[in-house]
Amino acid sequence: MLTVTNLCKSYLSGAHHQTIFEGLNLQLGRGEVVALLGASGSGKTTLLNLLSGIDTPDQGRVLINGVDIHAQGEPGRTLLRRQQLGFV
């Protein structure tokens, strides 16, 4: 199961602060299929990178089967991607 709680991510580009999402909550069950749709620049790739541990959130937690993926080191996140995640 994937659980996302209060996920926040923003970027600083020069003097411009861009909030991608703030307070995002999501829960997906095992085997559930989800499609992300949105305009270019709306945060789809950023969300996938956060859910897979490629990128780190400013705030919030991403739990996969009860394990906080961002509390793991890079080797642990790599193993998790290899064994438990799939993107198409």
Side-chain angles (χ1 to χ4, degrees), residues 21-57:
F21 17 80
E22 189 171 36
L24 183 100
N25 294 295
L26 174 69
Q27 190 162 11
L28 302 175
R30 183 180 180 97
E32 191 168 351
V33 177
V34 176
L36 291 177
L37 303 172
S40 178
S42 63
K44 299 177 301 290
T45 300
T46 299
L47 178 58
L48 291 174
N49 287 341
L50 292 168
L51 296 180
S52 66
I54 292 171
D55 199 1
T56 305

Side-chain angles (χ1 to χ4, degrees), residues 55-72:
D55 199 1
T56 305
D58 298 334
Q59 285 184 318
R61 294 175 49 170
V62 176
L63 304 174
I64 296 180
N65 296 325
V67 176
D68 185 341
I69 67 169
H70 296 287
Q72 309 299 308

Side-chain angles (χ1 to χ4, degrees), residues 2 6 8-10 13 15 20 29-31 38 42 51 58 64 69 73 76-77 81 83-84 88:
L2 172 77
N6 196 32
C8 301
K9 184 65 180 177
S10 60
S13 177
I20 308 303
R30 183 180 180 97
S42 63
L51 296 180
D58 298 334
I64 296 180
I69 67 169
R77 290 191 302 272
R81 284 190 293 274
Q83 295 178 341
Q84 297 186 43
V88 178

